[in-house]
Amino acid sequence: MEEYPEELRTPPVALAALVGCSDHHPAISGHLHSLQPPMNVLALPDFSKVQVVLARKAKDPAAAGDHPPGGILRRDWLLKHRTRVPAVVAAMFASDRVSGDPAQWLQVCSELEGLKAAARPRNVKLVVIVVQSSSADEINEDRMIALRKRAEVDSKYLVTYTPSDALELTQSLNRLTNTFVELANTYYRDEGRRIKTRVEKKSFSSIELNIRYCFKVAVYAEFRRDWVEALRFYEEAYRVLQEMIGTSTRLPPIQRLVEIKHVAEQLHFKVSTLLLHGGKIIEAVTWFRHHNASYKRLIGAPEAIYLHWEWMSRQFLVFAELLETSSATTQSISSVAADNPDRGLTEWEFRPAYYYQLAAHYLKKKRSSLDIALSMLVNANEIDGRAESVAPSTFVGQFSRLLEQGDGLSFQPIDDEEYIHYALAEGKRFQDSYEIIALFKKSYESYGNLKVQRMGSTCGLEIAKEYFSASDFTTAMQFFDNFAQLYRQEGWVILLWEALGYSRECSKKMGAVKNFVESSLEMASLPVSSDDIQSLGFKECGPAGPPSLPERESIHKEVLELVSGESGIRSVEESNDLNVTEGNPLHLEIDLVSPLRSVLLASVAFHEQTVKPGASTLMTLSLLSQLPLTTEIDQLEVQFNQSEYNFTITNAARPQSTSKITSGQQNNRVEIAASLSLVTNKWLRLTYGIKSEQSGKLECISVIAKLGPHFTIFCRAESPASMDDLLLWKFEDRVETYPTKDPALAITGQKVIQVEEAEPLVDLNLGDSGAALVRESFMVPVSIVARGHDIYSGELKINLVDVKGGGLFSPREIEPSTMDGHHVELLSVAGAEWEDESKKEADKINNIQQSFGLVSIPFLKIGDTWSCKLEIKWHRPKPIMLYVSLGYSPHGNEINAQKIHVHKSLQIEGKNPVLISHRFMLPFRRDPLLLSKMKAVSENNQFTSLPLNETSILILSAKNCTEVPLQVESLSVEVDEDCAATSCSIKPGSEDLANSGLLVPGEEFRKVFMVIPQVNSSTLGMGTVLLRWRRDPGSGEQVSCIQEDSVLTRHKLPDVNVELAPLTITLECPPYGILGDPFTYFIKIHNQTQLLQEVKFSLADSQSFVLSGSHNGTVYVLPKSEHILSYKLVPLASGSLQLPKVTLTSVRYSAGFQPSVNASTVFVYPSKPHFKVADQRESRTESVAAK
Amino acid sequence: MIVCIAVVGHQNNPLYIQSFTEADDALKLHHIVHCSLDVVDERVNNPKKSGPLLNETFLGLLYPTENYKVYGYLTNTKVKFILVTTDLDVKDADVRNEQYADYIFRMLEQLHSDPAGGCVVFGCD
């Protein structure tokens, strides 16, 4: 775009001329320049110059209608209207001259006349400016009118200009500006209209004029910023121009086409600019497509074909630049593309990168055509001579010879041959290569920004080819290698072949042996078959030639010769010979992602997954190559993670070189193979025995193949089980075989084998002691017997694990202090017998934690025994798993000696030994009225309520839940410290144990306590039950493993509610009745309050008794006193009988209560029993007999 | 006129490329087919933007380049068919080309999805 003249590139700028008063010109022109849009100013100091500027040329082509015009557009027409032909002429006169003496006035008049005469033929608009030195200046009114009349201008075009003060100046300038803009618009409109009439009336003699007129109308419209009309006429001109193709005969054929294309280019540029300027991006792209389609095939004469390509390239380049700079493209391209499904535009056509790419493409075409054209010239010097003094002529797209005629210059038409010589001479001057690289680079970068990889890589490849032909091999190779990666990934073999071919050639030219061999080997192993060449016409395949099997073979052969040292390859520079010698050895590495995997693929499979130490196993090493020729390997070295296993395989068929591949241990094993030839796509399988010695992992790391005296390939070993396919060969038709003979091994084979530990010859025993009881120190005996091994540096690891999968009991970090965190705890390892004290100190690693222990074992000879006891304590009932593992080394205390491990585990149940329960009871036949009890019915009876200051009875029972007998030593209640003594007194009912305290499984032990609460409290702590027990020593079979100490089990009693009972009822009757014998039944109501209590009572009849006394009534019980209701009862039946039921209701508390059924039961004998006190047993017998 | 037919796998690997040109530009056609995958990717990744082609397996004109037009077709299994044609010198060539390409693609898909069908070489004129 830069090569276009500025007047074409930018919208037209109106031109005004200032005449006279040159002092004021800078201010005015400065102001006009700063306008938006600006206006150019032609400043003329005096009036004599005006005639020169405005004078018309003698010969007006428009006027000379009979002669056909010499061309379509004049080259300088745009410039003329920008710099020479003003739309407005402003005549400036000083006010003193206007109002001065008659002589001055006359001069003004004559100058004005001259100006009018010059301006009128061109229809240039006139403005008269009177310059006032100050605003106070008086100008003669008559003179002003006279001036206006002389100038024949409207009164508003006679302007006064007062530069004296800033305000006046601004006003004057604004006035001037308005006038100038208005008149300029009028001028361009008039001119445009004048020419438009000619177009409309078709009053032109030739098609060239038609185009020219359309162009002019459009430019005049542009002057007025009438873009719509401008666009319309440019398009019209373009259309008419197309009609000219093939019809015009004015010029010789080549030049004719050149002219048309030049004009079309100019018109197209204008149209595209206007469309893009108006934001019509779709229209612009469509227009470009149209332009491209119209001219693409107008190639012209074969000898000038490069001109066409050059022109095409320019079209794409200019449009790319327009598109790139246009504001319209900033909006989302794809959204634009989505709007135009009908037009068949693709999103690519909205991207500058696309156009840059094609511009570069056409430039390449131009270069090759130009090269052909130049090569066809017999004498190169001939061009320069004949192209001399040829220059662009008056018309756009025309060239002619410049001749000096006296003082002036004249143009002489040239014939096509001369023109071609001229064009060739011009073409020779440019370095197209750089331009092509620049264009492709722009495209490449732009595609890169859009993350369009493949298009970008195509551009990149072109760049690289340019660098290659410009002999910049380093840069070229970088590009080729980059793009080879993409083609490799997606498996585009042919494209990869091309890129590699270039890369190979670059490294050859640079003397880079490694790169050369790498790319050669990769090319030779590409899946290119001979089919491709038959169906595809490959010609331009770069230096590597067409992709084919013979090519692969020849490349392979070349490399083989190079690495075997048979021949070197000469590079471009004499100093950089390609060779592989002793001083210049070559080492390639092939890893799991290397593209060279198809050159050499090493798979290693052990025939077994695990092996015992000392046993031997088989290992198959398989090698595969896709190289087209059979390759002989001189030597193979197999490397393992344990270097002592490394071994070397030498080829019996090849002369041996003594040198090792790597400088490893000298005593490595060497195997000799009959043949080590790699046939294309056929696994070379080698199976060897491996004898394992050390336990652990044995892994084959790599295989190093030596292919010549100084060439090695380091190939990482792969397991057949996890081996990836060869990426490029995946989809090829080829016989696929297994790397190992055994197909199962080919699927599951691993390059790793696990060498197991030696069989332990030591017994580790855990004594089974049955279930453990919570809170006792439970002992688990552990014994170690060295049966067949000495034990050196033995270590015993102990782990406690939750059976239910709760993991290790080690929330140590969370609760460092409380023991509650650990439900089961390893306390210590007891009874470990160390040989002597000094050794004990040195060796004793006695690391015991809650769930983990580590104990060191002293040296044990064969036959020795060592034992210890693990002391474990349960805090909660829970089953756990005890894991004990012994690690030892059978052969001395070497640091890195192999350890042997023995594991044992034991599940131990932790159980609660006793179940402690309690019960509160009130004294017999004594019932307090406890108000809370009345309410608590609904409240779910949280606490047991006890009456204040009354004796209650607490029965504690402990039930043996285990399967072993327990000896209870004591059962007591410990009152909480905070509420000791004062709150409540708990006394055991009897001092000694009721029986011996031996509890067989399932038996219950009971003890009675008297409780007298002394504090009125809703939550009175009752204290903790302490049960001291031990396993019954006489019963256990594993007596030794149970500790003798008694165990204390604690059980917290629940809080009770203590309250004062306002009323207490005591029922009094004899301990038994005798049938028919009357007895007295007292109901004592005791008021414990300070208030008078009204109590209603009622007594229900009973069938078993005859009763005397009131059935119901109301009594008043005085404070702190007692009221007694007495009844006489006669039992009518015998046995356990229910006394008549009494119901009391306290009116004050609206609470009624009844004594319990138990309390109101009495036993009635049929006759009076007789007891003998002397012999208890007898009396019992007797009483039974009496019953 | 068809100058090249290509079948490209779902990992953008070439499965089959056949060109029918007298000129020695088979390599260029490889490049054109390879580049067209960028357009296919873009159409597939931004389906909204390609408007009415949303549910179509026929992707239409992918891009014009030099003297060629490239058409694309995407099967359900993400196998792509690419067709490269030369410009026709007739009116509404675009529309006719497009219809023709669509027709060819549908035939190709039938062959492709037919288990007995392999790579079939198309004659062209």
Side-chain angles (χ1 to χ4, degrees):
Chain A
M1 203 156 73
E2 281 77 21
E3 62 196 56
Y4 289 160
E6 200 203 340
E7 62 268 20
L8 184 63
R9 271 188 287 140
T10 50
V13 180
L15 184 67
L18 300 175
V19 194
C21 296
S22 51
D23 310 348
H24 301 293
H25 289 182
I28 298 173
S29 52
H31 182 72
L32 290 176
H33 271 303
S34 65
L35 287 179
Q36 202 51 252
M39 194 177 251
N40 278 343
V41 175
L42 194 63
L44 303 170
D46 63 74
F47 285 81
S48 57
K49 294 277 190 299
V50 178
Q51 274 88 350
V52 181
V53 168
L54 295 179
R56 272 180 173 264
K57 289 215 180 88
K59 186 185 162 200
D60 189 355
D66 296 340
H67 305 287
I72 302 169
L73 299 180
R74 282 186 178 275
R75 200 182 289 277
D76 60 349
W77 191 81
L78 278 174
L79 191 63
K80 185 176 85 179
H81 276 274
R82 195 179 266 233
T83 57
R84 290 211 307 278
V85 180
V88 188
V89 173
M92 298 181 76
F93 298 106
S95 60
D96 52 349
R97 281 181 71 203
V98 175
S99 51
D101 58 37
Q104 279 175 323
W105 170 244
L106 266 182
Q107 200 190 346
V108 166
C109 289
S110 72
E111 281 171 356
L112 203 56
E113 283 303 323
L115 189 63
K116 264 166 62 187
R120 190 163 297 136
R122 281 203 175 267
N123 203 14
V124 174
K125 306 296 169 201
L126 191 63
V127 179
V128 178
I129 303 171
V130 177
V131 182
Q132 285 181 306
S133 51
S134 75
S135 54
D137 265 6
E138 280 291 316
I139 305 173
N140 189 330
E141 192 71 18
D142 296 340
R143 283 279 170 90
M144 286 298 269
I145 293 166
L147 188 64
R148 183 169 67 78
K149 281 191 173 156
R150 278 222 173 256
E152 296 176 52
V153 293
D154 209 62
S155 62
K156 62 180 173 181
Y157 302 135
L158 178 65
V159 188
T160 54
Y161 177 70
T162 319
S164 54
D165 70 298
L167 183 69
E168 288 281 349
L169 178 65
T170 318
Q171 281 176 352
S172 309
L173 284 175
N174 285 341
R175 253 195 323 266
L176 276 181
T177 306
N178 291 340
T179 315
F180 277 20
V181 168
E182 187 190 334
L183 281 175
N185 265 339
T186 317
Y187 171 76
Y188 292 123
R189 194 184 57 233
D190 290 352
E191 286 296 294
R193 200 175 280 158
R194 186 168 62 84
I195 305 210
K196 203 159 125 187
T197 326
R198 286 192 209 164
V199 175
E200 278 160 2
K201 289 186 176 163
K202 302 201 184 293
S203 61
F204 39 76
S205 54
S206 66
I207 196 160
E208 282 90 345
L209 285 180
N210 189 2
I211 299 165
R212 188 186 296 171
Y213 291 157
C214 289
F215 180 72
K216 283 186 178 180
V217 174
V219 175
Y220 285 131
E222 266 200 278
F223 269 117
R224 300 196 311 274
R225 322 246 132 197
D226 183 353
W227 310 121
V228 179
E229 178 161 305
L231 189 62
R232 191 153 61 86
F233 275 88
Y234 280 132
E235 283 180 4
E236 174 68 10
Y238 186 90
R239 189 190 61 73
V240 177
L241 183 68
Q242 269 182 302
E243 288 174 8
M244 249 185 91
I245 302 166
T247 59
S248 163
T249 52
R250 181 168 36 81
L251 288 169
I254 292 178
Q255 293 184 59
R256 190 191 308 153
L257 198 57
V258 168
E259 185 187 16
I260 289 174
K261 280 186 191 166
H262 265 91
V263 174
E265 180 180 357
Q266 209 163 37
L267 292 173
H268 159 69
F269 175 75
K270 278 290 184 190
V271 171
S272 303
T273 314
L274 285 176
L275 284 174
L276 286 174
H277 180 74
K280 296 175 179 162
I281 181 163
I282 297 170
E283 284 80 356
V285 172
T286 316
W287 173 264
F288 181 80
R289 230 191 200 198
H290 167 64
H291 176 59
N292 180 25
S294 314
Y295 285 91
K296 191 162 70 175
R297 291 172 201 286
L298 286 179
I299 296 169
E303 59 265 38
I305 198 164
Y306 62 93
L307 289 175
H308 175 68
W309 299 133
E310 185 185 16
W311 184 85
M312 284 294 284
S313 165
R314 202 164 54 236
Q315 303 312 300
F316 278 92
L317 169 63
V318 167
F319 194 70
E321 285 172 341
L322 278 179
L323 211 52
E324 200 168 35
T325 49
S326 157
S327 58
T329 45
T330 52
Q331 57 177 294
S332 162
I333 286 168
S334 30
S335 76
V336 176
D339 296 340
N340 69 96
D342 311 334
R343 302 194 192 210
L345 293 180
T346 61
E347 47 278 64
W348 249 240
E349 286 170 87
F350 292 90
R351 293 189 171 142
Y354 169 76
Y355 296 94
Y356 281 125
Q357 189 187 353
L358 284 172
H361 166 77
Y362 283 116
L363 201 57
K364 270 185 83 175
K365 272 190 142 176
K366 176 236 165 173
R367 186 182 55 183
S368 60
S369 315
L370 182 66
D371 289 347
I372 293 168
L374 284 171
S375 67
M376 272 158 60
L377 283 176
V378 184
N379 184 0
N381 295 334
E382 192 190 352
I383 325 170
D384 300 335
R386 299 189 62 177
E388 252 176 24
S389 72
V390 174
S393 78
T394 334
F395 292 98
V396 171
Q398 281 189 20
F399 298 85
S400 46
R401 191 177 296 282
L402 214 56
L403 291 179
E404 283 185 37
Q405 282 185 337
D407 295 341
L409 293 168
S410 76
F411 290 106
Q412 186 193 29
I414 50 174
D415 59 14
D416 271 356
E417 201 184 339
E418 278 176 307
Y419 173 69
I420 285 179
H421 280 111
Y422 162 75
L424 283 177
E426 285 291 298
K428 254 173 57 179
R429 284 170 42 213
F430 290 103
Q431 285 284 342
D432 288 327
S433 193
Y434 294 116
E435 182 68 11
I436 293 170
I437 290 177
L439 288 176
F440 274 127
K441 233 175 209 167
K442 269 191 165 173
S443 185
Y444 171 64
E445 281 160 9
S446 178
Y447 280 133
N449 293 339
L450 293 168
K451 302 213 163 37
V452 177
Q453 261 192 327
R454 299 180 192 92
M455 297 248 184
S457 68
T458 309
C459 294
L461 210 60
E462 294 293 335
I463 298 173
K465 282 184 199 167
E466 287 301 319
Y467 279 123
F468 179 79
S469 52
S471 300
D472 184 352
F473 298 119
T474 320
T475 321
M477 199 162 82
Q478 280 173 3
F479 274 98
F480 284 125
D481 289 348
N482 267 346
F483 302 119
Q485 185 52 36
L486 175 72
Y487 298 137
R488 210 176 274 142
Q489 261 172 18
E490 297 190 336
W492 288 76
V493 177
I494 308 281
L495 304 182
L496 179 59
W497 172 275
E498 187 198 7
L500 285 175
Y502 274 105
S503 174
R504 176 173 178 266
E505 203 60 25
C506 287
S507 37
K508 191 173 176 178
K509 298 246 160 91
M510 289 157 63
V513 184
K514 193 174 179 193
N515 280 330
F516 177 76
V517 173
E518 276 179 348
S519 40
S520 299
L521 285 177
E522 191 182 350
M523 282 177 83
S525 64
L526 281 181
V528 177
S529 64
S530 46
D531 300 346
D532 293 324
I533 188 155
Q534 284 162 8
S535 57
L536 299 176
F538 286 102
K539 191 180 165 200
E540 295 183 352
C541 289
S548 66
L549 190 60
E551 279 294 333
R552 282 172 58 198
E553 285 173 356
S554 78
I555 289 172
H556 187 195
K557 209 175 279 173
E558 194 182 3
V559 174
L560 281 184
E561 280 170 12
L562 176 70
V563 298
S564 64
E566 284 169 30
S567 71
I569 294 172
R570 302 243 105 179
S571 69
V572 179
E573 295 99 66
E574 293 296 313
S575 54
N576 286 346
D577 275 5
L578 283 182
N579 52 26
V580 180
T581 57
E582 192 168 358
N584 189 21
L586 183 58
H587 181 69
L588 293 189
E589 282 200 26
I590 302 176
D591 58 13
L592 303 186
V593 291
S594 166
L596 296 178
R597 274 180 80 223
S598 51
V599 173
L600 186 64
L601 183 63
S603 136
V604 174
F606 283 100
H607 289 211
E608 282 162 82
Q609 290 183 345
T610 56
V611 68
K612 297 271 180 223
S616 86
T617 182
L618 291 175
M619 180 199 95
T620 297
L621 161 68
S622 322
L623 298 174
L624 181 74
S625 171
Q626 298 293 352
L627 289 174
L629 302 174
T630 303
T631 315
E632 277 290 321
I633 298 172
D634 294 352
Q635 200 177 342
L636 277 174
E637 187 177 325
V638 187
Q639 294 187 324
F640 293 88
N641 61 341
Q642 298 173 30
S643 58
E644 59 269 27
Y645 288 95
N646 291 0
F647 67 96
T648 314
I649 307 164
T650 54
N651 191 343
R654 302 280 282 201
Q656 288 308 308
S657 59
T658 47
S659 65
K660 283 258 159 79
I661 297 173
T662 51
S663 54
Q665 287 98 329
Q666 294 304 308
N667 53 356
N668 267 358
R669 163 183 165 194
V670 177
E671 298 277 347
I672 295 175
S675 155
L676 286 177
S677 9
L678 272 177
V679 183
T680 312
N681 194 31
K682 187 161 181 258
W683 286 98
L684 170 66
R685 300 182 188 129
L686 302 162
T687 303
Y688 292 101
I690 296 275
K691 191 171 180 199
S692 57
E693 284 151 20
Q694 260 192 324
S695 68
K697 196 174 79 166
L698 178 62
E699 181 179 6
C700 181
I701 303 285
S702 55
V703 175
I704 301 174
K706 192 169 181 185
L707 289 158
H710 311 292
F711 177 52
T712 49
I713 300 179
F714 173 94
C715 190
R716 206 156 276 282
E718 301 186 36
S719 301
S722 56
M723 193 161 57
D724 288 333
D725 261 341
L726 292 174
L727 198 65
L728 295 174
W729 285 91
K730 203 160 46 177
F731 300 105
E732 297 300 317
D733 290 335
R734 61 172 176 131
V735 183
E736 280 195 61
T737 48
Y738 294 115
T740 54
K741 258 188 195 149
D742 176 12
L745 194 60
I747 295 164
T748 59
Q750 294 286 350
K751 59 170 180 170
V752 182
I753 192 163
Q754 198 68 40
V755 182
E756 290 177 347
E757 279 181 357
E759 197 71 36
L761 292 174
V762 168
D763 285 347
L764 173 67
N765 298 317
L766 295 180
D768 186 359
S769 330
L773 302 182
V774 171
R775 297 220 170 264
E776 73 173 343
S777 292
F778 190 74
M779 293 295 184
V780 180
V782 178
S783 69
I784 295 165
V785 183
R787 201 152 44 78
H789 273 157
D790 289 343
I791 296 180
Y792 289 94
S793 53
E795 268 182 3
L796 198 65
K797 283 181 192 161
I798 304 142
N799 266 301
L800 299 181
V801 177
D802 191 343
V803 169
K804 286 170 190 155
L808 291 167
F809 297 88
S810 51
R812 286 184 290 278
E813 290 80 12
I814 307 160
E815 298 164 272
S817 57
T818 59
M819 295 302 285
D820 289 355
H822 317 289
H823 300 167
V824 185
E825 202 184 348
L826 178 65
L827 291 179
S828 66
V829 179
E833 292 137 21
W834 281 275
E835 279 181 329
D836 55 65
E837 282 303 303
S838 64
K839 193 149 181 157
K840 180 180 171 182
E841 288 306 311
D843 278 358
K844 192 182 167 193
I845 311 161
N846 209 344
N847 184 3
I848 307 291
Q849 287 165 345
Q850 270 89 351
S851 60
F852 175 77
L854 183 69
V855 179
S856 69
I857 309 295
F859 165 69
L860 295 180
K861 281 203 293 289
I862 293 176
D864 279 1
T865 306
W866 182 88
S867 65
C868 68
K869 282 178 186 172
L870 307 181
E871 188 180 353
I872 306 169
K873 192 170 192 176
W874 271 255
H875 296 283
R876 301 274 161 85
K878 201 161 208 178
I880 60 130
M881 206 70 190
L882 171 67
Y883 290 98
V884 178
S885 84
L886 170 68
Y888 71 96
S889 104
H891 314 291
N893 284 318
E894 295 156 37
I895 297 160
N896 54 356
Q898 289 277 307
K899 284 221 163 187
I900 300 177
H901 293 92
V902 195
H903 306 278
K904 272 282 157 66
S905 65
L906 177 67
Q907 181 171 350
I908 306 173
E909 198 79 27
K911 283 186 174 171
N912 259 331
V914 287
L915 187 67
I916 296 172
S917 55
H918 71 276
R919 195 147 64 95
F920 285 102
M921 288 177 74
L922 291 167
F924 192 53
R925 290 185 178 161
R926 193 174 162 84
D927 280 300
L929 170 66
L930 294 174
L931 295 172
S932 63
K933 229 175 191 172
M934 307 288 161
K935 291 180 241 160
V937 178
S938 59
E939 283 173 26
N940 210 6
N941 265 346
Q942 285 163 334
F943 295 122
T944 315
S945 291
L946 295 181
L948 184 66
N949 294 333
E950 297 274 343
T951 306
S952 296
I953 292 161
L954 171 66
I955 304 167
L956 288 177
S957 62
K959 188 178 174 186
N960 183 353
C961 321
T962 66
E963 275 134 35
V964 292
L966 298 178
Q967 177 73 48
V968 175
E969 292 190 337
S970 68
L971 178 66
S972 58
V973 176
E974 185 185 71
V975 179
D976 292 345
E977 280 175 18
D978 52 339
C979 51
T982 51
S983 58
C984 162
S985 84
I986 302 175
K987 285 183 213 151
S990 57
E991 283 305 319
D992 52 344
L993 293 171
N995 50 21
S996 63
L998 182 69
L999 285 181
V1000 295
E1003 194 185 344
E1004 229 179 34
F1005 172 85
R1006 285 204 192 86
K1007 193 169 177 183
V1008 177
F1009 292 85
M1010 315 287 274
V1011 180
I1012 306 168
Q1014 285 151 346
V1015 174
N1016 192 352
S1017 158
S1018 61
T1019 52
L1020 181 66
M1022 289 301 289
T1024 309
V1025 180
L1026 303 179
L1027 178 70
R1028 196 169 283 285
W1029 58 272
R1030 67 171 76 195
R1031 287 191 186 228
D1032 183 26
S1035 66
E1037 58 268 34
Q1038 294 98 0
V1039 183
S1040 62
C1041 65
I1042 308 296
Q1043 215 175 17
E1044 295 299 311
D1045 293 348
S1046 59
V1047 184
L1048 190 68
T1049 300
R1050 291 166 163 271
H1051 174 79
K1052 179 98 174 72
L1053 286 172
D1055 290 346
V1056 293
N1057 176 29
V1058 177
E1059 62 181 57
L1060 181 70
L1063 295 171
T1064 311
I1065 308 165
T1066 314
L1067 305 180
E1068 269 181 29
C1069 69
Y1072 57 88
I1074 296 157
L1075 185 67
D1077 198 359
F1079 64 89
T1080 319
Y1081 177 37
F1082 296 106
I1083 297 168
K1084 294 183 179 168
I1085 304 166
H1086 186 81
N1087 177 4
Q1088 302 202 66
T1089 60
Q1090 302 284 352
L1091 307 164
L1092 180 74
Q1093 296 286 355
E1094 182 186 356
V1095 178
K1096 286 182 181 165
F1097 69 90
S1098 68
L1099 198 71
D1101 277 329
S1102 169
Q1103 287 183 343
S1104 317
F1105 296 94
V1106 177
L1107 147 106
S1108 79
S1110 53
H1111 266 84
N1112 44 29
T1114 303
V1115 293
Y1116 294 89
V1117 189
L1118 291 171
K1120 297 279 178 197
S1121 66
E1122 199 172 58
H1123 181 88
I1124 301 171
L1125 298 169
S1126 68
Y1127 295 90
K1128 208 72 171 174
L1129 299 179
V1130 183
L1132 299 177
S1134 62
S1136 184
L1137 299 179
Q1138 182 75 46
L1139 289 166
K1141 207 160 201 164
V1142 65
T1143 306
L1144 296 182
T1145 308
S1146 161
V1147 175
R1148 183 179 293 276
Y1149 306 110
S1150 358
F1153 72 116
Q1154 274 185 327
S1156 63
V1157 177
N1158 278 342
S1160 52
T1161 306
V1162 71
F1163 192 84
V1164 178
Y1165 287 95
S1167 60
K1168 191 173 168 74
H1170 301 282
F1171 300 113
K1172 278 184 185 164
V1173 183
D1175 190 344
Q1176 204 174 16
R1177 214 175 57 154
E1178 257 177 54
S1179 74
R1180 193 177 289 172
T1181 323
E1182 253 178 60
S1183 69
V1184 171
K1187 283 177 194 170
Chain B
M1 194 179 83
I2 298 176
V3 291
C4 183
I5 283 186
V7 182
V8 180
H10 75 284
Q11 288 170 327
N12 290 331
N13 50 315
L15 298 176
Y16 173 76
I17 297 191
Q18 183 71 44
S19 50
F20 314 99
T21 95
E22 301 292 308
D24 296 323
D25 50 2
L27 188 63
K28 187 201 273 174
L29 289 169
H30 269 71
H31 277 294
I32 290 174
V33 172
H34 185 238
C35 288
S36 69
L37 299 177
D38 276 330
V39 194
V40 175
D41 277 358
E42 170 140 341
R43 296 258 169 106
V44 173
N45 294 338
N46 309 312
K48 236 191 273 172
K49 295 168 182 174
S50 26
L53 296 171
L54 181 63
N55 294 319
E56 291 277 327
T57 45
F58 178 56
L59 300 171
L61 177 65
L62 297 181
Y63 72 114
T65 176
E66 303 164 42
N67 301 320
Y68 304 115
K69 288 212 158 74
V70 188
Y71 294 88
Y73 188 90
L74 184 71
T75 69
N76 289 335
T77 51
K78 307 282 175 233
V79 169
K80 292 136 202 157
F81 299 149
I82 308 289
L83 193 69
V84 186
T85 67
T86 45
D87 275 349
L88 287 178
D89 245 345
V90 293
K91 213 168 156 56
D92 65 354
D94 285 352
V95 178
R96 284 172 54 177
N97 257 343
E98 198 142 310
Q99 287 167 347
Y100 186 45
D102 195 15
Y103 170 71
I104 295 283
F105 282 140
R106 283 181 204 283
M107 269 173 52
L108 206 54
E109 183 168 32
Q110 276 183 4
L111 286 169
H112 179 80
S113 53
D114 178 6
C119 280
V120 177
V121 178
F122 288 86
C124 68
D125 46 14

